[in-house]
Structures are given as C-alpha cells and as structure tokens.
Amino acid sequence: MFDRPDSGERAVLIHLSIHAGQEDLLELKELARSAGTQPVHIITGSRHRPDPKYFVGTGKLDEIKAAVHDFAADVVLFNHALSPSQERNLEKFLEVRVVDRNGLILDIFAQRAQSFEGKLQVELAQLKHLSTRLVRGWTHLERQKGGIGLRGPGETQLETDRRLLAARIKQIQQRLDKVEKQRHQGRSKRKKAEIPSVSLVGYTNAGKSTLFNQLTGADIYAADLLFATLDPTLRSVQLSNNSEIVLADTVGFIRHLPHELVAAFKSTLQEASEAELLLHVIDANSEERDEIMFQVNQVLTDINAGEIRQLEVFNKIDLLDNIAPHIDRDELGNPIRVWLSAATGAGLELLTQALTEIFAATKVKVRCHLTPMQNGVRAKLFTCTKIIDEHIDEHGATELFIEIDVKNLGHLKNISYELIDADSVL
C-alpha cells in the first residue's frame, strides 16, 4: 500500500460510457472545480460492463497510470461509483489516492457545511461511506495473513474502529432526530398559522441561492460552483397582497444523488417534500436543461415530493438573446412558468405576482362576530389565521377581519361570520 497525501490538487479525471442516462463528463469537471482540484488530464472510454476488480480494463489502467506519472497527479477522480475493493485495488496499482463520484460529492459537502445541523448531516454521510472502506490506504493497520506468528494487532484495531464508527453514527443519528423533531414543530406552527411554505428546488448551480437572496433580502453565500450553499435557510416573504409565505432554500440536486446524502439530508429535504409549492429553478441557458429538469423530477420522486405543485422558474435569461421576462400560463390562465434573471433582478416582480395569484386563490377574507364569552375562540383565531383588523365595541363584542384558507372554514362553524371583499376591509 502507499501513504495517502494530505491534499490532492492535481487530478486525472476518468469517465467511461457504460449505459444510457449515466453521469455527464461536464458535470465531473464542475464537481472537480468545485472541490478545489485542478484537472490536468481527462481519460474517456467505453465498456459494456465495469471490470469487477479495477472497474476499467487493463489497457485503460495502464493509460491512467501513465497519465498520473506524466502529469504528476495527486488524485484520480472517477465519474462513477466504485466498490470498496475496486478503490483499494486501483489505489494499490496507481499508488495515488482514488476518489469515486460519491466520495467527491461528499468532499464538496464537507467543505460547504457551515451550520451545526449541516456538519452533522455531512459527517453522517461520510461515516456511512467510510464504514466499508476502513482498510484503504492504512499501511499501519493492514490485515495480517493467517498462520502462526502472522496474526498481528491490525485486525483487532480495525474491529475497534468499526465499533467506534458505529457508535458515532448512532450518536449523530440521535442528534439529527432531535433536529428533525424541531423542524417538524416549526412546520406544524406554520400550518396552524396558515402560512404557506414554498421550497426552492432545482439542479445545483441553477441560481437558487441568488434568487432566494433577491426575494428575501438575505445574504446567504452564492457562487458559480456546484453545491455553493448547503445549509437550509428559511425566510418569510411578503407578497403584493400583503399575504405571507415562508421560502426555504434547499440543497441543490444532481444526477444520481448519492443514497448516503439522501438519507443524511432527510430532515432538510423534508422542507421540499412537505411544501405547498415548489419553485423549480432552471438554468434557461443550459443546453441540457430538459435532461436536467428530468433528473430533478426524478430526485423529487425519490424524496416523495413528485406530486407537489410546481412553478417553473427559468433563470439566467440575461444570458439569452431576445428573451424578455414574462409569465407562461396554462389553458385556464394559471401561472405555470416565469422567465427571469435573479442576477439582474429582471422579472422578479412577475414571480411575486405569480405567487400572489397562486396563493390568493385559496384564501378568503372573513368578518367574524364574537361575543364577550367567546374570548377563547378569539385566541384560537389569532394562532391559526391571519388577523387583518379588529374592533371591540362598548359591550365587549369583537369584530375580527381575518384571512383564512378555504379548506379551514370549518373552524368557524361555531361562530357568526360572513365572507367579505378584500377592498371592504381597507
């Protein structure tokens, strides 16, 4: 075996065409750049099926080793998921660090996580990925051969490491379970207050964080990198009719998002799976936008969010010719797509208009009449509806003007109320 370097910035990229619908070479380049490596050479090829020992054939293996030597590479990045044995065999033969696609994404996530929850989620994903790779590159902990006098402490140390790893995974999972309960409580409170939740979803680097900053006035990190932002952020947004929504910025998606990440980020992704509306942000300038949209919808299906209503947001129209900001509507006149530029701000008012139309259709204004004996009902209305105005007469009777979702009108069955026009409240 070999001593693994502390860092690897010069990378040889490996991409094989094996099946349809697989990972994209351009995506591998972007992942490598986002991880902070410098791609010095790219090797491509095709196979009917991966080699069980090295993933690549012997001829391609020699080509990779020659490239590592010629370009003084520190790491070899595969655009494929490798088995633990394939990684070990490749590292032993190439004598440099080998990282597969899942490991590369995990490394980027480790660089990006800032919040306590985000760091826990990344660590959990890394530990699960590492649990089958403990012997890789550990020259001082190699398994010993069988036979008298050849059994050393290495195997005992590995077993100890596995137990420690399992204990740490369990500890992190317990902490994340508490975080998930807190998020669930927050979502429950918003539902009681009838504040709609909207989640930004889309392919990584589509401009979700830039759009989030524009809509909310937040200052979360945004850059031209894959997975530039990782930690979930929630902010309230006032619409043009003075109603309120909660907007959530979620982690960006990618082709074949590693299962370790889907499992670790379950609580974060639930912001999308339990939202009332998904803003599907799309890079309008991408030549592969149709394929990317399909991949995002596949991930949404995987996290049980495939049936949630979407409003497509075609972003980056400033990079296109002769495309002005506008709203596309269906045959009933409902907004289904908004064309805008989050970077320049062009078309943002159209997105706010579309959101207002979508959520105004489910809200009604109501005038409620409460007697002095119904103060308990009044307190409940303050927690589960939006209060627009309130008047109390000299006899203690209360007149409340509220906004409530149509589906929750049943909460008013024990009090006197009437539907009103929005203008009559002002």
Side-chain angles (χ1 to χ4, degrees):
M1 296 293 283
F2 64 97
D3 291 328
R4 293 168 60 188
D6 295 331
S7 63
E9 295 183 349
R10 298 175 60 82
V12 172
L13 309 186
I14 311 298
H15 175 82
L16 300 185
S17 298
I18 297 178
H19 56 81
Q22 69 172 48
E23 295 77 7
D24 182 64
L25 177 57
L26 178 61
E27 186 176 86
L28 175 63
K29 295 178 184 177
E30 288 298 312
L31 285 170
R33 184 174 70 90
S34 300
T37 64
Q38 176 190 353
V40 293
H41 189 62
I42 299 174
I43 295 177
T44 60
S46 62
R47 285 185 65 89
H48 294 296
R49 64 182 65 86
D51 179 79
K53 185 175 182 179
Y54 292 110
F55 192 87
V56 298
T58 54
K60 191 65 66 176
L61 191 63
D62 292 334
E63 182 183 351
I64 296 172
K65 187 164 187 176
V68 169
H69 177 268
D70 294 342
F71 294 94
D74 305 301
V75 62
V76 175
L77 304 179
F78 274 75
N79 198 22
H80 313 275
L82 301 175
S83 69
S85 62
Q86 286 171 337
E87 281 194 14
R88 290 195 294 270
N89 293 333
L90 285 166
E91 287 188 334
K92 184 176 181 180
F93 184 86
L94 299 175
E95 298 182 330
V96 293
R97 187 155 49 100
V98 174
V99 179
D100 70 352
R101 185 173 179 275
N102 291 1
L104 179 58
I105 295 174
L106 286 170
D107 186 81
I108 297 172
F109 272 50
Q111 296 179 42
R112 301 287 189 268
Q114 298 294 327
S115 70
F116 174 73
E117 177 190 0
K119 291 178 180 178
L120 282 179
Q121 290 171 325
V122 171
E123 184 180 354
L124 177 62
Q126 286 181 314
L127 290 177
K128 288 183 176 180
H129 185 72
L130 181 65
S131 60
T132 58
R133 292 164 164 80
L134 281 176
V135 298
R136 182 182 67 181
W138 287 30
T139 54
H140 63 296
L141 295 179
E142 278 188 285
R143 288 184 176 274
Q144 303 297 315
K145 296 180 180 179
I148 297 175
L150 295 178
R151 296 182 179 89
E155 187 165 355
T156 302
Q157 180 64 57
L158 289 170
E159 290 174 351
T160 302
D161 290 335
R162 288 194 177 97
R163 285 195 297 271
L164 294 173
L165 201 63
R168 179 59 178 165
I169 289 175
K170 182 178 179 180
Q171 182 184 42
I172 294 175
Q173 191 61 64
Q174 289 174 342
R175 292 184 180 180
L176 287 176
D177 288 342
K178 292 181 180 179
V179 173
E180 184 175 348
K181 289 179 181 178
Q182 293 172 349
R183 287 189 172 275
H184 178 72
Q185 291 173 350
R187 286 191 291 266
S188 298
K189 289 180 180 179
R190 293 197 297 271
K191 286 182 179 179
K192 287 182 180 180
E194 296 189 344
I195 300 176
S197 60
V198 179
S199 283
L200 286 166
V201 299
Y203 205 71
T204 182
N205 204 28
K208 296 185 305 300
S209 296
T210 302
L211 181 61
F212 184 87
N213 287 339
Q214 289 277 26
L215 289 174
T216 64
D219 189 26
I220 61 176
Y221 179 68
D224 185 22
L225 296 171
L226 300 188
F227 304 115
T229 52
L230 184 62
D231 299 303
T233 308
L234 283 76
R235 294 287 189 277
S236 62
V237 177
Q238 292 291 125
L239 301 181
S240 54
N241 62 350
N242 292 324
S243 61
E244 182 183 5
I245 64 171
V246 171
L247 188 64
D249 185 21
T250 58
V251 62
F253 297 159
I254 199 169
R255 285 180 178 88
H256 308 143
L257 195 65
H259 293 296
E260 296 99 332
L261 293 180
V262 174
F265 283 78
K266 182 175 65 174
S267 63
T268 300
L269 295 174
Q270 274 187 328
E271 295 294 345
S273 62
E274 297 192 15
E276 296 182 44
L277 177 72
L278 300 178
L279 289 187
H280 184 172
V281 183
I282 302 154
D283 182 354
N285 189 50
S286 173
E287 296 179 356
E288 300 180 323
R289 70 185 188 194
D290 291 337
E291 169 65 19
I292 287 173
M293 290 170 64
F294 175 79
Q295 294 291 339
V296 170
N297 286 321
Q298 284 289 103
V299 176
L300 289 174
T301 300
D302 292 341
I303 63 173
N304 300 318
E307 300 300 321
I308 299 176
R309 181 179 179 180
Q310 289 188 21
L311 176 64
E312 294 178 349
V313 180
F314 276 66
N315 188 26
K316 304 186 182 181
I317 64 170
D318 54 303
L319 303 178
L320 301 174
D321 295 329
N322 302 320
I323 298 292
H326 64 279
I327 299 177
D328 292 338
R329 300 178 182 273
D330 61 17
E331 60 276 6
L332 299 178
N334 299 314
I336 58 172
R337 190 176 300 111
V338 181
W339 297 74
L340 54 76
S341 171
T344 66
L348 287 177
E349 72 285 353
L350 296 178
L351 177 57
T352 303
Q353 175 187 332
L355 290 171
T356 301
E357 292 182 29
I358 290 172
F359 290 108
T362 65
K363 303 283 186 180
V364 292
K365 301 289 193 302
V366 176
R367 179 189 287 113
C368 301
H369 305 277
L370 305 177
T371 68
M373 302 299 294
Q374 292 179 308
N375 280 333
V377 177
R378 172 182 174 276
K380 184 176 181 180
L381 291 178
F382 265 81
T383 61
C384 67
T385 68
K386 180 179 180 180
I387 306 299
I388 301 174
D389 200 2
E390 179 183 26
H391 301 292
I392 302 176
D393 63 20
E394 65 274 11
H395 303 294
T398 301
E399 185 178 57
L400 276 178
F401 295 91
I402 65 173
E403 186 178 68
I404 187 171
D405 198 288
V406 173
K407 66 178 181 290
N408 292 325
L409 283 175
H411 294 325
L412 309 180
K413 62 183 179 180
N414 295 325
I415 63 176
S416 175
Y417 72 91
E418 59 189 42
L419 299 179
I420 58 175
D421 295 329
D423 294 339
S424 63
V425 181
L426 302 177

